[in-house]
């Protein structure tokens, strides 16, 4: 029986042969928003691999042998940064030297428990996409013009999205968004809103009695008009219960940690805006 080590060596050798044959480079992204930016900027000469499977919360990612092989053979690996958000990924990239890019570095707010969901701010997505373009240009100077052109096109789309959010969320009856867990701090800050999470930054956290009481008080006093929930069944259940008690709607608000079942980053962000406009009664 062959050892795991020999299988890895064989896999790497095979990958190298494949790259030499196809002339394609490989980029590995640790979660969907980074993969989306990479796919848009890199173009057809790059294969983009997303380490977070659809329907999975990004912080739950556990690397398989195939994932580790992909990381070792990649020309570029993009992750958010050393946050403790994706521990196995963050540990694995330490051996990659200059082939790893911490796209969220300097964008993510520091703290004891930093909120990693920076991609929910379109302006932050622009910054991260530009960093991807810069690194791709350094790896492949001949493709620099194409990378910059595609990054500029994505910047225009993200700028339009940002403009939609700015316009729509400046006319809302309510200024507080009650959410199932605190994943929307960057979005709230960008558009002058307040976020109140029934649970803290991690989706496994349970709502505390004090948070539930505060949320119920805001809803009953007319300072908030809905409860927003992320993709999990548990989040939907908790948000639905709180909303029903206050006779307000419970509405979906995607965190986009993994590839959506339909659409892409831009279309799901449009759906999020539609939920916010309804729940916060924006004109």
């Amino acid at each position: 029986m062959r050892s795991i080590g020999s299988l890895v060596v064989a896999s790497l050798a095979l990958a190298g042969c494949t790259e030499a044959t196809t002339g394609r480079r490989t980029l590995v992204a640790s979660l969907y928003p980074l993969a989306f930016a990479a796919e848009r900027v890199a173009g057809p000469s790059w294969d983009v691999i997303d380490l977070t499977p659809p329907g999975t919360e990004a912080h739950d990612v556990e690397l398989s042998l195939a994932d580790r092989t992909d990381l070792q053979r990649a020309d570029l690996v993009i992750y958010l940064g050393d946050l403790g958000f994706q521990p196995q990924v963050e540990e694995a990239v330490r051996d990659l030297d200059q082939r790893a890019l911490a796209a969220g570095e300097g964008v993510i707010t520091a703290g004891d428990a930093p909120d990693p969901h920076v991609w929910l701010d379109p302006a932050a997505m622009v910054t991260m996409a530009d960093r991807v373009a810069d690194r791709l240009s350094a790896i492949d100077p001949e493709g620099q013009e194409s990378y910059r052109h595609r990054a500029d096109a994505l910047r225009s789309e993200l700028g339009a999205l940002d403009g939609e959010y700015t316009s729509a969320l400046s006319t809302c009856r309510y200024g507080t968004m009650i959410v199932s867990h605190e994943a929307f701090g960057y979005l709230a800050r960008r558009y002058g809103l307040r976020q109140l999470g029934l649970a803290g930054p991690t989706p496994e956290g349970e709502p505390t009695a004090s948070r539930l009481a505060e949320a119920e008080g805001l809803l009953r006093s007319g300072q908030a008009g809905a409860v927003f929930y992320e993709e999990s069944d548990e989040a939907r259940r908790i948000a639905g219960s709180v909303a029903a008690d206050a006779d307000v709607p419970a509405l979906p608000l995607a965190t986009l940690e993994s590839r959506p079942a339909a659409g892409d980053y831009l279309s799901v962000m449009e759906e999020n805006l539609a939920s916010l406009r309804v729940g916060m009664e924006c004109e």
Side-chain angles (χ1 to χ4, degrees), residues 113-272:
D115 177 2
H117 301 83
V118 65
W119 59 85
L120 295 173
D121 175 354
M125 277 290 284
V126 169
T127 298
M128 294 192 289
D130 282 342
R131 289 177 176 175
V132 172
D134 290 343
R135 183 61 66 88
L136 293 177
S137 298
I139 294 171
D140 176 26
E142 292 183 0
Q144 178 176 359
E145 184 176 350
S146 295
Y147 300 138
R148 290 274 26 127
H149 176 74
R150 286 190 286 266
D152 289 345
L154 179 56
R155 182 188 301 112
S156 294
E157 291 180 88
L158 291 169
L161 179 68
D162 180 44
E164 288 183 49
Y165 267 75
T166 299
S167 176
L169 298 181
S170 65
T171 63
C172 302
R173 175 181 177 183
Y174 304 109
T176 298
M177 47 191 295
I178 297 175
V179 295
S180 53
H181 93 279
E182 292 178 339
F184 301 92
Y186 294 99
L187 186 153
R189 192 179 307 111
R190 175 75 178 169
Y191 302 109
L193 305 175
R194 178 197 175 202
Q195 171 189 231
L196 174 65
L198 301 178
T202 59
E204 290 86 357
E206 289 294 324
T208 63
S210 61
R211 290 288 184 93
L212 289 170
E214 185 176 1
E216 290 167 0
L218 290 170
L219 291 166
R220 293 189 183 284
S221 64
Q223 298 178 67
V227 182
F228 299 96
Y229 59 87
E230 69 208 50
E231 293 90 332
S232 73
D233 291 339
E234 182 67 4
R236 182 194 298 263
R237 182 189 66 78
I238 294 171
S241 175
V242 173
D245 287 344
D247 195 25
V248 300
L251 298 166
L253 203 60
T255 60
L256 275 164
E257 290 188 15
S258 64
R259 189 176 298 272
D264 62 10
Y265 171 87
L266 292 167
S267 64
V268 174
M269 286 292 287
E270 293 278 7
E271 292 169 5
N272 278 353

Side-chain angles (χ1 to χ4, degrees), residues 54-138:
T56 303
E57 290 172 352
H59 69 282
D60 286 338
V61 166
E62 295 185 0
L63 299 180
S64 66
L65 176 59
D67 292 333
R68 294 182 185 277
T69 301
D70 287 335
L71 287 168
Q72 289 298 321
R73 66 186 279 264
D75 297 279
L76 177 61
V77 176
I78 307 173
Y79 70 115
L80 281 179
D82 297 317
L83 309 171
F85 175 56
Q86 292 184 295
Q88 290 194 11
V89 175
E90 293 166 27
E91 181 180 0
V93 301
R94 290 171 191 159
D95 299 327
L96 300 183
D97 299 322
Q98 299 303 310
R99 290 187 294 124
L101 170 64
E105 193 171 88
V107 182
I108 295 173
T109 304
D112 294 334
D115 177 2
H117 301 83
V118 65
W119 59 85
L120 295 173
D121 175 354
M125 277 290 284
V126 169
T127 298
M128 294 192 289
D130 282 342
R131 289 177 176 175
V132 172
D134 290 343
R135 183 61 66 88
L136 293 177
S137 298

